[in-house]
Every structure is written in C-alpha cells, then in structure tokens.
Amino acid sequence: VKVALEIIEGLALDGQQAFSLAELEAMSGLTLDELQLLVECQALFPLAQVEAAADQEPAQPRFSAQCLVLARIAARLRKDFDLDANATMVTLQLLKRIQDLENEVLALRAQLPSRVQ
Amino acid sequence: MVRLACAAGTALMKYKDYYQTLGVERSASAADIKKAYRKLAHKYHPDISKLANAKEKFQEIGEAYETLKDPEKRAAYDELGSDFHAGQDFRPPPDWGAAHGEQYAAFDDMDLADLFASLSGGRHRAHAGRGHSGHFPIPGQDYEIAADITLEQAAGGTEFEVNLAVPEPGDDGYMRRVPRKFKARIAKGASEGQRLRLPGKGGKGLNGGRDGDLYLIIHLLPHRLFRASGHDLYIDLPLTPWEAALGATVQVPTLHGAVHLKVPAGTRSGQKLRLAKRGLPNPREGIGDLYAIAQIVLPAELSEHERKLLQQMAQGSTYDPRKHFREMAA
C-alpha cells in the first residue's frame, strides 16, 4: 500500500519576512552580543522602521530574511574555524562581497549568448 | 549513571579511519590534528568552497575532528584498534562502551558517528543529572539541503521530496538516526539561491529544547533554452541577416507556450527584445520578463542562389561598418 507523504509548506526566506534580534538569536546560533556586533559593523542591517510617537516605546529593530541567512553562515564559520567575533565579522563581510559579485557575474552571464559563455 | 542492558558487540558497522580522513599519523599531537582540520576546513567548508563534493567532504572531516579533538573520545577511538582499514566491516569490542563510561545501544544502521555521539550523549545525561533541574534543554540541529528543481517547476510551484536521516533520541534516551521522508511544497516563483525554511523539521531537541529547522536551498537546473537571472529569463534568438535587416515576426518559446515576437527592422546582434511578463513569477513584484537576445546567424553552407544574392548585395551596397577605423587613422 502506497502511503501518501506528508506535505510541508516551506516558508520562503525573502523580503516579506522580518525577524527580531531575539528570533535571529534563536534561529542562527549566534549570541545577542555577537549579533549586536554584526549590526554595529553593518554586516547586518535592520529594516527601516516607522518612527514611534513621542509617548510610545521605540519599536524593536527588525531584520530581513537575508540577515538570517548571513547570521547562520556567521555562526557556522565561528564554530567550524573557531573564530572570534571580529574575525567572524570580517570573514562575513568578505563573503558577502564575493556573493554580491558572483550574483552580478551570474546576471551578466545570463545575458550573454550561450555560445559565448 | 543508568546502565543499559544493550546488545554490545552486535552492531556491525563500517570502520572509518579518522586519522586518514584528516591526513595525520595516529601519533599526531592535538595541535597537529587541529592544524590538519583547519587546513582541510579551509578547502572544503561549504560556505567557502565551490567544489562539488565540499559538503560531503566537510562532513567527513568534521566527524573525524569531532572525535579526535576530544581526548576521551580519541582514546576510545584508538582502543577500537588500528588493524581495520576504511570501509571495512567491524564490531566494537565487547564492553568497549562500558570501559569509556557509557554503554551504547546497538541498532541496525548504526555507524561510527552514532557510536561516538552516544558517548557524548551519555556525558550530557551525566552532566544533566548533577543539575538542580536534572536536564538542560539542547536545541535540535538545523540542516541545509539543496533542492534541485527545473525552471518549469520554479514557475509553476512544485513539491520536493525530502529524504533525511536525522539523529533522534529513542525511548532509551540514546541517539540514533531516524529516516524521515516527506514532501516540501515550493510555492511558484522560487529563484536561484532562495532558501525555504521548514520549522521543526531538523534534528529533535533534547530535554525540551526546540527542534531544529530544515532549510532547502533552491538550485535551478540548467535549461536547454532559457537562462534565469532573478525572475527574468533570457533566450538566444537566432535571426537571419535578412530577418534582422528587414524585420520579421518570429515564434519564440516561453515557459507557457510559444508566442509571436515582432522583430523590428534593423535589429542588431546582441540587442535585447523584451517580452513583458513572460519570465518567472515573482511573489512580490508580479512576473519577471523574458528577454530574447538577437543573434544574427548564417547558414553553415550557402546554396548557389544564396551566394549570388549576397554577392549582388555586396556589389550594390555602400554601407561600411568600419568607417570609423579610417576616420581614426586619418
């Protein structure tokens, strides 16, 4: 008897999702301090937020899904290479630059006639 | 410590030579082992390496290092003996687990990694037993796997079959790999490199720790005709010189059937002709575009008639595409 497999809905990590620092901490494996450092050195950018009214508490910063992807990479690098926070930050920034360049190369390559590639 | 009445010695498994994996002698110092691990990790770390087998290699290296970096585990590993070669079937000696402060539960598809994980699992339990609460939560491991899908599947959405073997604690509290099979729904509009999170589908958490997540990394398989860039698609559009010069209406394939494209007169090679909303669906911004890139091509062999027509054109035309060469030289 063929049993139908359970179907799980995947949550796309795209621009529509946003996470708090606490959620990033729970999902990335980095500590709050490490995440703060990545924010301070602008390896992670909080999303732009509506300014709170004078009598309201300022809203907690939210981060895009791309930040979760980067934070997870940072956690792996830190663990696997035994890196300190600063080395993790520098490595992450360089990796991000490489990734941006690779994306640009891929986009340009898609526009080249296939015989030229 | 709880001792389990286990079937020690019955588990047949493949021997893995952790020293060979790291490329060090059995007598290597802890510093040499660390150095060898780092060197290999630089080469095979999946976040850095572009090698096709990087993930598997790094997993092997990580498994070897996880055991050899820990003096207790290394001693236990050494005690298994050095007479085996990698891949050889072997059984741990009787009472081997008990000799290292823990007995292990033997199960059919156990491998060396499970065996050593059961040793550290025992340590976790022993440590937890000393605490006030008796247990501390250990989150389950997250997993990342590649999901190779076609452009057609990305355009229309698909279900991707996931086959995993993740460590889970059995009723006896010992970790073992449990096969999991399910389908993950990938909504239409997935793009290259996109990640899908399946919360709780990673490794099981222990002592109330949250279950790990599973991440699918979308990889679009190469297509015979289309190349994807984000949600836009590109296709080569071969045109004859006369179609490019005079203009034409040509049939162009799209992911949802062929359409007619009007090629304007005077189209140059490399020119991009946009077919709006014929690319991949973008969940946020509608639908990507399809770009047909004009490529002016000649027949591999000219018929006598074609040759004559071209010769006529060559004699009758005053067009000079290299006029600017002469202007520069003058």
Side-chain angles (χ1 to χ4, degrees), chain B residues 59 121 129 142 149 178 226 254-255 279 283 297 326:
Chain B
Q59 216 165 341
D142 290 343
I149 60 170
V178 177
F226 303 108
T254 74
L255 284 178
V297 291
R326 282 197 304 283

Side-chain angles (χ1 to χ4, degrees), chain A residues 37-78:
Chain A
L37 183 69
L38 290 175
V39 175
E40 278 166 28
C41 71
Q42 300 186 331
L44 301 182
F45 285 97
L47 295 167
Q49 288 187 319
V50 181
E51 222 166 90
D55 58 339
Q56 284 181 330
E57 286 276 310
Q60 292 299 310
R62 308 281 294 169
F63 295 85
S64 71
Q66 179 60 17
C67 287
L68 172 61
V69 174
L70 289 171
R72 286 175 48 76
I73 292 173
R76 282 196 294 266
L77 292 170
R78 185 206 57 186

Side-chain angles (χ1 to χ4, degrees), chain B residues 243-282:
Chain B
E243 283 174 331
L246 304 173
T249 298
V250 297
Q251 222 179 51
V252 177
T254 74
L255 284 178
H256 302 288
V259 294
H260 285 100
L261 171 68
K262 199 171 171 190
V263 178
T267 294
R268 299 177 313 277
S269 201
Q271 194 171 328
K272 283 189 275 186
L273 305 171
R274 178 168 163 259
L275 289 95
K277 298 185 178 180
R278 299 287 178 171
L280 294 171
N282 185 338

Side-chain angles (χ1 to χ4, degrees), chain B residues 172-224:
Chain B
D172 52 17
Y174 285 87
M175 301 301 283
R176 64 198 62 194
R177 278 176 295 116
V178 177
R180 280 204 210 148
K181 198 170 172 181
F182 55 88
K183 284 182 177 175
R185 200 190 308 278
I186 299 174
K188 67 178 181 180
S191 56
E192 174 68 27
Q194 188 184 37
R195 282 158 165 84
L196 292 183
R197 180 170 163 251
L198 305 174
K201 287 293 168 186
K204 281 275 172 206
L206 295 176
N207 307 331
R210 71 173 187 91
D211 291 344
D213 298 333
L214 175 66
Y215 290 85
L216 295 186
I217 305 173
I218 302 294
H219 172 57
L220 299 180
L221 294 166
H223 193 279
R224 200 167 55 86

Side-chain angles (χ1 to χ4, degrees), chain B residues 53-115:
Chain B
N53 62 343
K55 196 176 174 185
E56 292 74 29
K57 286 289 284 181
F58 186 72
Q59 216 165 341
E60 289 169 18
I61 296 159
E63 183 186 322
Y65 184 59
E66 205 55 42
T67 296
L68 297 186
K69 75 174 181 183
D70 181 326
E72 287 178 45
K73 283 190 189 177
R74 186 179 175 185
Y77 176 78
D78 288 345
E79 211 170 287
L80 292 174
S82 57
D83 298 333
F84 305 104
H85 53 81
Q88 187 181 345
D89 286 331
F90 89 112
R91 287 176 210 280
D95 300 331
W96 171 87
H100 294 283
E102 185 68 20
Q103 284 199 347
Y104 59 93
F107 44 95
D108 290 344
D109 58 348
M110 188 175 204
D111 76 0
L112 212 52
D114 299 320
L115 191 66

Side-chain angles (χ1 to χ4, degrees), chain A residues 6-13 26-27 72 76 80-82 102 107 110-115 117, chain B residues 37-38 42 45 47 50 142 144 183-185 195-198 210 215 227 234 236 272 293 295:
Chain A
E6 181 191 12
I7 299 175
I8 311 293
E9 205 71 45
L11 302 171
L13 292 182
M27 289 191 280
R72 286 175 48 76
R76 282 196 294 266
D80 296 335
F81 292 110
D82 211 8
E102 280 179 346
Q111 299 178 40
L112 284 177
S114 56
R115 285 177 298 171
Q117 288 186 58
Chain B
Y37 163 76
R38 284 197 169 172
H42 287 152
H45 196 283
D47 288 315
K50 295 288 171 201
D142 290 343
E144 280 192 358
K183 284 182 177 175
R185 200 190 308 278
R195 282 158 165 84
L196 292 183
R197 180 170 163 251
L198 305 174
R210 71 173 187 91
Y215 290 85
R227 299 182 295 277
Y234 291 82
D236 293 335
K272 283 189 275 186
I293 305 174
Q295 282 190 69

